[in-house]
Amino acid sequence: MLYASGTGTLTDRYVAEVVRRIPADQRGDVADELRATIADTVEARGPADPEAAEREVLTEMGDPIPLAARYTDRPLALIGPALYPTYIRLLTVLLSTVLPVVTAVGAVLDVLDGQGAGEVIGGAVGAVLSLGTQMIAWLTVVFALVERSGKRAGTVGGAWTPDDLPERRVPKERGAAAYAGVVWHALLIALIVWQHTAQPYRTDGGIRLDVLDPGLWSGWIWPILAGLVGLVTLDAIRAVRAWTRALAVWSACAEAAFALPLAWVLHRQEFFNPAFLSDVNGGWQTPDSFYTVAVAGVLAVGAGEVVKRFREARG
């Protein structure tokens, strides 16, 4: 029997979200139990509006992900049931989009560098294992810290509602833009970390170099990365939750944490690795106007994003 329904009633969609996360041999019994429980609870309230009562009952039952975890006796201690649904959805986006892109970029660079098929494949496998592990580890650390901060109510971005089920009513333009933001900002994080750990640029003498100034890792790169992590998280919330003024304020803070240090580093011309520029330019100096335009661009884009998110919060 198939339980994955994206176009049925709210109860159908709720049950489908629960049973698809539990072992196949339990799905039939759990589905029947859930449907009966929901129907009995709705009927017991003697509602004049059954659809409103159904929505109310499902809201009280809560997010289907932690409910499925209870059926399978899987503990969610490190990241509790309030945050776990958002965590797992964001992790899925990162591993299914950012990781393949970065791996493909690395493979192309290895091919252009003249490496053999074995080295290219080995490098790709290593990138998947290394970067994938880092994504899982860092995202888990962030959510574990939030879990223990004591400042959470419901899920990130607001309490779960039936509107969060698949086929929910989220404007396509906002959802697409938010997921594009998740992918773009996560890709920036991955590329920043990857260029430092893999040192992809190789000089004629075979010396591997960072593209960005290694000195950034002693200071300015950390607020930049923190801002990007914040933007990834908020864009994920923006894709699945109603956007509020409070979230817009947090988004502005994350944008500032990312854009202001980046603009400062570009202004001081300390963004790129001097050894990398020297080898690439062949002695030609990058004009000051390049950095001036880059600084203006970073600040303009950041300000535009902040304004756009506040407009969304106003509805």
Side-chain angles (χ1 to χ4, degrees), residues 9-271:
T9 66
L10 284 177
T11 296
D12 293 333
R13 289 153 56 190
Y14 188 89
V15 172
E17 280 295 285
V18 174
V19 300
R20 75 184 184 88
R21 292 180 168 85
I22 64 177
D25 59 352
Q26 299 179 26
R27 292 176 183 174
D29 292 339
V30 170
D32 292 341
E33 178 184 337
L34 281 175
R35 291 182 194 279
T37 299
I38 295 168
D40 291 345
T41 306
V42 171
E43 184 178 357
R45 299 187 180 188
D49 186 349
E51 291 186 0
E54 178 188 33
R55 175 178 292 273
E56 181 180 312
V57 169
L58 293 179
T59 301
E60 292 173 359
M61 293 180 68
D63 195 302
I65 292 181
L67 179 58
R70 290 198 293 271
Y71 274 108
T72 55
D73 295 326
R74 288 179 301 183
L76 302 176
L78 182 62
I79 301 173
L83 294 178
Y84 184 75
T86 304
Y87 163 79
I88 202 65
R89 287 167 184 142
L90 180 55
L91 184 60
T92 300
V93 170
L94 295 179
L95 294 180
S96 63
T97 55
V98 176
L99 183 58
V101 170
V102 175
T103 302
V105 170
V108 170
L109 291 175
D110 285 342
V111 171
L112 295 177
D113 199 35
Q115 297 190 25
E119 293 176 310
V120 172
I121 294 173
V125 172
V128 169
L129 295 176
S130 175
L131 187 57
T133 301
Q134 290 186 46
M135 285 182 176
I136 296 171
W138 283 110
L139 191 66
T140 302
V141 168
V142 169
F143 274 80
L145 291 175
V146 174
E147 175 68 32
R148 284 150 182 76
S149 68
K151 297 179 179 180
R152 58 188 188 278
T155 56
V156 174
W160 181 90
T161 72
D163 290 329
D164 296 315
L165 292 168
E167 300 296 323
R168 59 190 177 275
R169 295 180 180 178
V170 177
K172 292 182 179 179
E173 297 82 1
R174 178 167 65 83
Y179 275 111
V182 170
V183 172
W184 169 243
H185 292 127
L187 181 60
L188 287 179
I189 294 173
L191 289 175
I192 289 172
V193 175
W194 173 70
Q195 66 82 37
H196 180 64
T197 57
Q199 296 183 312
Y201 184 79
R202 183 181 296 177
T203 66
D204 292 337
I207 300 175
R208 288 186 172 274
L209 299 173
D210 289 23
V211 175
L212 305 185
D213 191 336
L216 292 173
W217 292 89
S218 298
W220 286 113
I221 202 66
W222 297 110
I224 292 174
L225 288 174
L228 286 172
V229 170
L231 290 173
V232 166
T233 304
L234 288 163
D235 278 332
I237 294 170
R238 180 168 159 240
V240 300
R241 306 282 187 210
W243 193 243
T244 65
R245 182 171 291 275
L247 288 173
V249 171
W250 281 110
S251 180
C253 294
E255 193 73 51
F258 164 64
L260 295 180
L262 177 58
W264 175 250
V265 169
L266 287 168
H267 170 69
R268 292 176 59 87
Q269 301 185 14
E270 296 175 349
F271 185 67

